[in-house]
Structure formats: structure tokens, C-alpha cells
Amino acid sequence: MASEKEIAHHLYGAYEAYLDLKVQIHEAQQMRADQLEEALSQIPEPAFEQVDQGKGKKEQKDHSIGKKKPLPTVEDHELKVQRDLDLLGQKIQALVQLLTQNHTTSPTMLGEFENLRTFKVLSGEGFALNSVLPLKQKR
């Protein structure tokens, strides 16, 4: 059976990986949007040609190539990945809360997470689970 320290470290590592993936997905989406904007800015404005329809009426013809949007399936896939990632984060948070509140050795589990928090703070990093496990109030 895994010790509380191993469980806490694996859960925290999984949550950090979740947060990293969320940032990477956001950055990839931003890069994609920037590239699309740049590509669209390089497309010349539509060229119109006057065509005589008779009786003095003129019609404009559009000779430009229509601007194409990215395939909606790519956007749908990105949204699905984002939803799945959010669901993973919620499951990890729920697991951390259940282990630290209801596990038979919940004080030990909470102590291991407090040790992780202390290590992160002392190493100058933020503790990713602050919203799940708020700092204890000093009395």
C-alpha cells in the first residue's frame, strides 16, 4: 500500500501537470489565433469590376477569393479537450478534498499536503492547491 507521502506527491504532481497543460492549450490557441489574424491580414482587399447591365445600370463583380474560416471541427475538438481537462482538474481537486477530509488517515494526508505547501513556499513557488486547501488560520 502506498504511503500518504507518495499519494500526496503523486496527486500534487498530477494537479501541476493539469495546470501546465491548461496553460499550454491556452498558448497554442493564442498562437493559432495570431497566425490566422496574420494570414487574413495578408489577403488583399476584394477587387470589384464594373459590369454594364444595360440601361445605364452597373453591377460590381467580386473577383476576390473568399476568406476561409478554420474548420469548425478543429475548434470543436479544442473545446472538447478543454472540457475534458477541466473535468480532470475537478476530479483531482475532489480527490484531494476527500483524502484530506474523509480518509482514515486524513490528518496524515493533510500534513503531507502542508509539507508540500511549505516546500513550495520556501522554494519561491506558488502552491497550486491553495483554492482547494486554504492555508490554516493561526490562532
Side-chain angles (χ1 to χ4, degrees):
M1 183 175 231
S3 72
E4 285 82 2
K5 184 175 185 174
E6 288 175 301
I7 293 170
H9 281 270
H10 285 296
L11 276 174
Y12 189 78
Y15 194 70
E16 279 187 323
Y18 153 76
L19 292 176
D20 287 343
L21 284 173
K22 195 169 183 172
V23 168
Q24 288 176 24
I25 286 175
H26 177 72
E27 288 172 351
Q29 288 173 334
Q30 187 63 42
M31 284 175 49
R32 184 171 155 254
D34 292 344
Q35 288 175 348
L36 179 61
E37 187 177 308
E38 182 180 329
L40 290 176
S41 70
Q42 293 177 357
I43 295 175
E45 289 296 317
F48 293 103
E49 176 183 300
Q50 298 286 336
V51 177
D52 191 7
Q53 289 183 320
K55 295 187 182 178
K57 293 183 181 177
K58 294 193 176 187
E59 173 187 329
Q60 292 184 343
K61 276 190 168 178
D62 188 357
H63 291 289
S64 66
I65 299 173
K67 294 180 182 179
K68 294 183 180 179
K69 289 178 67 176
L71 296 175
T73 55
V74 173
E75 291 170 354
D76 292 343
H77 183 67
E78 285 177 347
L79 288 174
K80 182 185 180 311
V81 169
Q82 189 67 42
R83 281 193 303 269
D84 291 347
L85 193 59
D86 289 341
L87 183 61
L88 174 64
Q90 291 169 0
K91 286 181 179 182
I92 292 172
Q93 288 179 0
L95 185 57
V96 168
Q97 288 173 337
L98 288 171
L99 281 173
T100 55
Q101 294 169 2
N102 302 318
H103 192 264
T104 54
T105 59
S106 61
T108 308
M109 287 298 302
L110 191 55
E112 289 302 329
F113 280 109
E114 289 295 332
N115 290 343
L116 271 170
R117 181 191 333 262
T118 302
F119 173 76
K120 291 291 183 181
V121 169
L122 290 176
S123 63
E125 299 177 46
F127 184 67
L129 290 170
N130 275 339
S131 62
V132 180
L133 297 172
L135 290 170
K136 291 182 180 178
Q137 298 294 326
K138 296 195 179 205
R139 297 177 187 197

mmCIF file of all heavy atoms in Angstrom, residues 94-121:
data_model
loop_
_atom_site.group_PDB
_atom_site.id
_atom_site.type_symbol
_atom_site.label_atom_id
_atom_site.label_comp_id
_atom_site.label_asym_id
_atom_site.label_seq_id
_atom_site.Cartn_x
_atom_site.Cartn_y
_atom_site.Cartn_z
ATOM 1 N N ALA A 94 -11.423 17.169 -6.148
ATOM 2 C CA ALA A 94 -12.343 16.403 -5.310
ATOM 3 C C ALA A 94 -11.612 15.289 -4.578
ATOM 4 O O ALA A 94 -11.863 15.042 -3.389
ATOM 5 C CB ALA A 94 -13.474 15.830 -6.170
ATOM 6 N N LEU A 95 -10.689 14.629 -5.255
ATOM 7 C CA LEU A 95 -9.924 13.548 -4.640
ATOM 8 C C LEU A 95 -9.063 14.079 -3.498
ATOM 9 O O LEU A 95 -9.007 13.475 -2.417
ATOM 10 C CB LEU A 95 -9.058 12.855 -5.698
ATOM 11 C CG LEU A 95 -8.284 11.629 -5.282
ATOM 12 C CD1 LEU A 95 -9.213 10.561 -4.714
ATOM 13 C CD2 LEU A 95 -7.528 11.063 -6.461
ATOM 14 N N VAL A 96 -8.414 15.214 -3.720
ATOM 15 C CA VAL A 96 -7.597 15.817 -2.660
ATOM 16 C C VAL A 96 -8.471 16.161 -1.457
ATOM 17 O O VAL A 96 -8.127 15.850 -0.309
ATOM 18 C CB VAL A 96 -6.865 17.075 -3.188
ATOM 19 C CG1 VAL A 96 -6.260 17.875 -2.049
ATOM 20 C CG2 VAL A 96 -5.778 16.679 -4.178
ATOM 21 N N GLN A 97 -9.627 16.767 -1.713
ATOM 22 C CA GLN A 97 -10.512 17.134 -0.612
ATOM 23 C C GLN A 97 -11.021 15.895 0.139
ATOM 24 O O GLN A 97 -11.051 15.889 1.371
ATOM 25 C CB GLN A 97 -11.690 17.957 -1.130
ATOM 26 C CG GLN A 97 -11.278 19.355 -1.534
ATOM 27 C CD GLN A 97 -12.393 20.135 -2.206
ATOM 28 O OE1 GLN A 97 -13.322 19.551 -2.752
ATOM 29 N NE2 GLN A 97 -12.287 21.449 -2.172
ATOM 30 N N LEU A 98 -11.402 14.863 -0.601
ATOM 31 C CA LEU A 98 -11.890 13.651 0.054
ATOM 32 C C LEU A 98 -10.801 12.990 0.886
ATOM 33 O O LEU A 98 -11.051 12.539 2.009
ATOM 34 C CB LEU A 98 -12.431 12.666 -0.984
ATOM 35 C CG LEU A 98 -13.753 13.054 -1.635
ATOM 36 C CD1 LEU A 98 -14.079 12.116 -2.790
ATOM 37 C CD2 LEU A 98 -14.875 13.040 -0.606
ATOM 38 N N LEU A 99 -9.593 12.913 0.341
ATOM 39 C CA LEU A 99 -8.500 12.273 1.087
ATOM 40 C C LEU A 99 -8.129 13.060 2.335
ATOM 41 O O LEU A 99 -7.777 12.475 3.359
ATOM 42 C CB LEU A 99 -7.268 12.106 0.191
ATOM 43 C CG LEU A 99 -7.304 10.930 -0.771
ATOM 44 C CD1 LEU A 99 -6.105 10.983 -1.714
ATOM 45 C CD2 LEU A 99 -7.302 9.609 -0.019
ATOM 46 N N THR A 100 -8.187 14.387 2.253
ATOM 47 C CA THR A 100 -7.764 15.185 3.413
ATOM 48 C C THR A 100 -8.894 15.382 4.410
ATOM 49 O O THR A 100 -8.652 15.832 5.528
ATOM 50 C CB THR A 100 -7.245 16.559 2.968
ATOM 51 O OG1 THR A 100 -8.246 17.215 2.191
ATOM 52 C CG2 THR A 100 -5.965 16.422 2.174
ATOM 53 N N GLN A 101 -10.138 15.055 4.050
ATOM 54 C CA GLN A 101 -11.250 15.248 4.983
ATOM 55 C C GLN A 101 -11.836 13.933 5.488
ATOM 56 O O GLN A 101 -12.296 13.867 6.619
ATOM 57 C CB GLN A 101 -12.362 16.056 4.303
ATOM 58 C CG GLN A 101 -11.933 17.471 3.987
ATOM 59 C CD GLN A 101 -12.926 18.185 3.079
ATOM 60 O OE1 GLN A 101 -13.956 17.638 2.708
ATOM 61 N NE2 GLN A 101 -12.598 19.407 2.706
ATOM 62 N N ASN A 102 -11.837 12.885 4.640
ATOM 63 C CA ASN A 102 -12.571 11.667 4.998
ATOM 64 C C ASN A 102 -11.726 10.404 5.060
ATOM 65 O O ASN A 102 -12.223 9.374 5.473
ATOM 66 C CB ASN A 102 -13.706 11.442 3.976
ATOM 67 C CG ASN A 102 -14.650 12.613 3.929
ATOM 68 O OD1 ASN A 102 -15.006 13.165 4.946
ATOM 69 N ND2 ASN A 102 -15.031 13.017 2.732
ATOM 70 N N HIS A 103 -10.506 10.454 4.615
ATOM 71 C CA HIS A 103 -9.644 9.273 4.611
ATOM 72 C C HIS A 103 -9.377 8.862 6.055
ATOM 73 O O HIS A 103 -9.371 9.697 6.958
ATOM 74 C CB HIS A 103 -8.340 9.610 3.878
ATOM 75 C CG HIS A 103 -7.509 8.420 3.555
ATOM 76 N ND1 HIS A 103 -6.486 8.008 4.348
ATOM 77 C CD2 HIS A 103 -7.544 7.555 2.507
ATOM 78 C CE1 HIS A 103 -5.912 6.945 3.812
ATOM 79 N NE2 HIS A 103 -6.538 6.655 2.701
ATOM 80 N N THR A 104 -9.141 7.589 6.270
ATOM 81 C CA THR A 104 -8.919 7.110 7.642
ATOM 82 C C THR A 104 -7.703 7.780 8.274
ATOM 83 O O THR A 104 -7.651 7.929 9.483
ATOM 84 C CB THR A 104 -8.728 5.576 7.654
ATOM 85 O OG1 THR A 104 -7.694 5.229 6.738
ATOM 86 C CG2 THR A 104 -10.004 4.867 7.304
ATOM 87 N N THR A 105 -6.758 8.171 7.470
ATOM 88 C CA THR A 105 -5.596 8.886 7.996
ATOM 89 C C THR A 105 -5.579 10.309 7.434
ATOM 90 O O THR A 105 -4.529 10.815 7.037
ATOM 91 C CB THR A 105 -4.288 8.156 7.650
ATOM 92 O OG1 THR A 105 -4.194 8.052 6.228
ATOM 93 C CG2 THR A 105 -4.212 6.789 8.291
ATOM 94 N N SER A 106 -6.738 10.955 7.414
ATOM 95 C CA SER A 106 -6.824 12.290 6.817
ATOM 96 C C SER A 106 -5.897 13.313 7.480
ATOM 97 O O SER A 106 -5.334 14.155 6.788
ATOM 98 C CB SER A 106 -8.257 12.796 6.785
ATOM 99 O OG SER A 106 -8.786 12.896 8.078
ATOM 100 N N PRO A 107 -5.688 13.277 8.808
ATOM 101 C CA PRO A 107 -4.725 14.229 9.372
ATOM 102 C C PRO A 107 -3.313 14.029 8.810
ATOM 103 O O PRO A 107 -2.584 14.994 8.557
ATOM 104 C CB PRO A 107 -4.757 13.940 10.874
ATOM 105 C CG PRO A 107 -6.086 13.301 11.114
ATOM 106 C CD PRO A 107 -6.378 12.535 9.859
ATOM 107 N N THR A 108 -2.949 12.778 8.562
ATOM 108 C CA THR A 108 -1.640 12.495 7.985
ATOM 109 C C THR A 108 -1.564 13.013 6.548
ATOM 110 O O THR A 108 -0.575 13.618 6.136
ATOM 111 C CB THR A 108 -1.347 10.982 8.013
ATOM 112 O OG1 THR A 108 -1.544 10.501 9.328
ATOM 113 C CG2 THR A 108 0.080 10.694 7.574
ATOM 114 N N MET A 109 -2.650 12.801 5.775
ATOM 115 C CA MET A 109 -2.688 13.288 4.391
ATOM 116 C C MET A 109 -2.609 14.808 4.364
ATOM 117 O O MET A 109 -1.865 15.386 3.575
ATOM 118 C CB MET A 109 -3.984 12.840 3.685
ATOM 119 C CG MET A 109 -4.041 11.385 3.315
ATOM 120 S SD MET A 109 -2.775 10.872 2.155
ATOM 121 C CE MET A 109 -3.070 11.948 0.783
ATOM 122 N N LEU A 110 -3.370 15.450 5.229
ATOM 123 C CA LEU A 110 -3.356 16.907 5.285
ATOM 124 C C LEU A 110 -1.965 17.402 5.674
ATOM 125 O O LEU A 110 -1.472 18.384 5.119
ATOM 126 C CB LEU A 110 -4.413 17.410 6.276
ATOM 127 C CG LEU A 110 -4.694 18.897 6.259
ATOM 128 C CD1 LEU A 110 -5.071 19.380 4.859
ATOM 129 C CD2 LEU A 110 -5.792 19.239 7.236
ATOM 130 N N GLY A 111 -1.336 16.682 6.599
ATOM 131 C CA GLY A 111 0.024 17.042 6.993
ATOM 132 C C GLY A 111 0.997 16.937 5.827
ATOM 133 O O GLY A 111 1.887 17.789 5.670
ATOM 134 N N GLU A 112 0.837 15.924 4.988
ATOM 135 C CA GLU A 112 1.717 15.781 3.820
ATOM 136 C C GLU A 112 1.505 16.922 2.825
ATOM 137 O O GLU A 112 2.458 17.444 2.242
ATOM 138 C CB GLU A 112 1.503 14.434 3.131
ATOM 139 C CG GLU A 112 2.022 13.250 3.908
ATOM 140 C CD GLU A 112 3.515 13.333 4.215
ATOM 141 O OE1 GLU A 112 4.282 13.919 3.430
ATOM 142 O OE2 GLU A 112 3.917 12.813 5.274
ATOM 143 N N PHE A 113 0.250 17.327 2.641
ATOM 144 C CA PHE A 113 -0.008 18.467 1.756
ATOM 145 C C PHE A 113 0.528 19.763 2.356
ATOM 146 O O PHE A 113 1.000 20.638 1.630
ATOM 147 C CB PHE A 113 -1.502 18.588 1.418
ATOM 148 C CG PHE A 113 -1.932 17.641 0.333
ATOM 149 C CD1 PHE A 113 -2.738 16.552 0.622
ATOM 150 C CD2 PHE A 113 -1.523 17.836 -0.979
ATOM 151 C CE1 PHE A 113 -3.132 15.673 -0.381
ATOM 152 C CE2 PHE A 113 -1.909 16.954 -1.983
ATOM 153 C CZ PHE A 113 -2.719 15.876 -1.684
ATOM 154 N N GLU A 114 0.470 19.890 3.675
ATOM 155 C CA GLU A 114 1.054 21.062 4.329
ATOM 156 C C GLU A 114 2.578 21.069 4.142
ATOM 157 O O GLU A 114 3.181 22.117 3.933
ATOM 158 C CB GLU A 114 0.700 21.082 5.826
ATOM 159 C CG GLU A 114 -0.745 21.390 6.119
ATOM 160 C CD GLU A 114 -1.164 22.796 5.709
ATOM 161 O OE1 GLU A 114 -0.330 23.719 5.691
ATOM 162 O OE2 GLU A 114 -2.353 22.967 5.396
ATOM 163 N N ASN A 115 3.201 19.881 4.193
ATOM 164 C CA ASN A 115 4.642 19.799 3.935
ATOM 165 C C ASN A 115 4.964 20.230 2.497
ATOM 166 O O ASN A 115 5.950 20.934 2.264
ATOM 167 C CB ASN A 115 5.153 18.371 4.173
ATOM 168 C CG ASN A 115 5.143 17.987 5.632
ATOM 169 O OD1 ASN A 115 5.065 18.840 6.512
ATOM 170 N ND2 ASN A 115 5.185 16.688 5.904
ATOM 171 N N LEU A 116 4.141 19.783 1.551
ATOM 172 C CA LEU A 116 4.323 20.198 0.154
ATOM 173 C C LEU A 116 4.179 21.713 0.011
ATOM 174 O O LEU A 116 4.954 22.359 -0.687
ATOM 175 C CB LEU A 116 3.301 19.509 -0.753
ATOM 176 C CG LEU A 116 3.680 18.177 -1.339
ATOM 177 C CD1 LEU A 116 2.477 17.528 -2.005
ATOM 178 C CD2 LEU A 116 4.792 18.337 -2.350
ATOM 179 N N ARG A 117 3.159 22.274 0.679
ATOM 180 C CA ARG A 117 2.936 23.717 0.614
ATOM 181 C C ARG A 117 4.157 24.467 1.162
ATOM 182 O O ARG A 117 4.634 25.416 0.570
ATOM 183 C CB ARG A 117 1.684 24.098 1.408
ATOM 184 C CG ARG A 117 1.383 25.580 1.356
ATOM 185 C CD ARG A 117 0.308 26.047 2.343
ATOM 186 N NE ARG A 117 -0.664 25.089 2.744
ATOM 187 C CZ ARG A 117 -1.891 24.964 2.225
ATOM 188 N NH1 ARG A 117 -2.270 25.757 1.251
ATOM 189 N NH2 ARG A 117 -2.711 24.067 2.691
ATOM 190 N N THR A 118 4.657 24.000 2.299
ATOM 191 C CA THR A 118 5.824 24.638 2.911
ATOM 192 C C THR A 118 7.020 24.576 1.967
ATOM 193 O O THR A 118 7.724 25.573 1.778
ATOM 194 C CB THR A 118 6.174 23.953 4.252
ATOM 195 O OG1 THR A 118 5.035 24.030 5.112
ATOM 196 C CG2 THR A 118 7.365 24.608 4.907
ATOM 197 N N PHE A 119 7.253 23.416 1.365
ATOM 198 C CA PHE A 119 8.371 23.270 0.424
ATOM 199 C C PHE A 119 8.217 24.230 -0.749
ATOM 200 O O PHE A 119 9.170 24.892 -1.153
ATOM 201 C CB PHE A 119 8.457 21.827 -0.080
ATOM 202 C CG PHE A 119 9.480 21.648 -1.166
ATOM 203 C CD1 PHE A 119 10.833 21.621 -0.870
ATOM 204 C CD2 PHE A 119 9.084 21.531 -2.494
ATOM 205 C CE1 PHE A 119 11.785 21.465 -1.871
ATOM 206 C CE2 PHE A 119 10.016 21.377 -3.504
ATOM 207 C CZ PHE A 119 11.380 21.345 -3.189
ATOM 208 N N LYS A 120 7.007 24.329 -1.301
ATOM 209 C CA LYS A 120 6.768 25.203 -2.451
ATOM 210 C C LYS A 120 6.995 26.663 -2.072
ATOM 211 O O LYS A 120 7.617 27.413 -2.817
ATOM 212 C CB LYS A 120 5.350 25.017 -3.012
ATOM 213 C CG LYS A 120 5.135 23.676 -3.672
ATOM 214 C CD LYS A 120 5.917 23.593 -4.948
ATOM 215 C CE LYS A 120 5.676 22.294 -5.664
ATOM 216 N NZ LYS A 120 6.437 22.160 -6.881
ATOM 217 N N VAL A 121 6.474 27.070 -0.931
ATOM 218 C CA VAL A 121 6.623 28.460 -0.494
ATOM 219 C C VAL A 121 8.092 28.781 -0.252
ATOM 220 O O VAL A 121 8.590 29.832 -0.669
ATOM 221 C CB VAL A 121 5.767 28.736 0.767
ATOM 222 C CG1 VAL A 121 6.111 30.075 1.383
ATOM 223 C CG2 VAL A 121 4.288 28.676 0.413
#
